Amino acid sequence: MATWKTRGLRGSLFEELINRTNEKYREQGLALIQKIPTPITPIQIDKESRHITLAYFNQKSTVDYIGVVQGIPLCFDAKESADTTFSLQNIHPHQVRFMREFEQQDGIAFFLIYYTHKDQYYYLPFRHFYPFWERAVRGGRKSFRMDELDPAYIIPSQQGLIVPYLDMVNRDLLERQNEDEESAE
């Protein structure tokens, strides 16, 4: 029996869990976050099922999610890793550029990473991610390890929410505020 192998649906379960969390946040009036669809042009459509069977991408997508939390714009990308090392190949230069520009406009950009082997969610602020990216661009390691991440951004489980990342957004905001106050002194 032949096995069908694809990378196409990797992360779709994780994204579904995030979508459910976002719906809870919307119902509670805490945030309005939307999944950004990847723009495609259909080439072939199965006439019976009306499903797209062949398509091409119109343009590079930027991030998976964009929205607002209590008046603060945010964007993020959802990634999965089956190892303690996360390859930067999973992130594209146009995404990094978009997230950097988003933060320059006073938005909050981050990655949600699901470490499948540990069943652990992690909130990676863009400003914590960017040094890893710069290291790779300068010819250094093209990945980062879990032990290089701040354990304070491990997302703890919470009753009623699957991927409760808003507490980490709050931690991120407080950390930014403290950094701004320290640099002003």
Side-chain angles (χ1 to χ4, degrees), residues 7 13 21 26-27 39 49 67 79 110-111 114 119 127 138 153-154:
R7 293 169 45 101
L13 176 59
T21 299
R26 186 192 63 74
E27 289 169 1
S49 67
K79 300 292 184 187
F110 58 93
F111 293 94
Y114 178 48
D119 192 25
R127 70 185 186 292
R138 289 191 310 267
Y153 282 99
I154 294 170

Side-chain angles (χ1 to χ4, degrees), residues 50-67:
R50 300 195 46 88
H51 287 112
I52 297 168
T53 57
L54 181 63
Y56 70 87
F57 296 105
N58 290 343
Q59 62 191 37
K60 296 175 181 175
S61 65
T62 51
V63 292
D64 292 330
Y65 294 90
I66 199 159

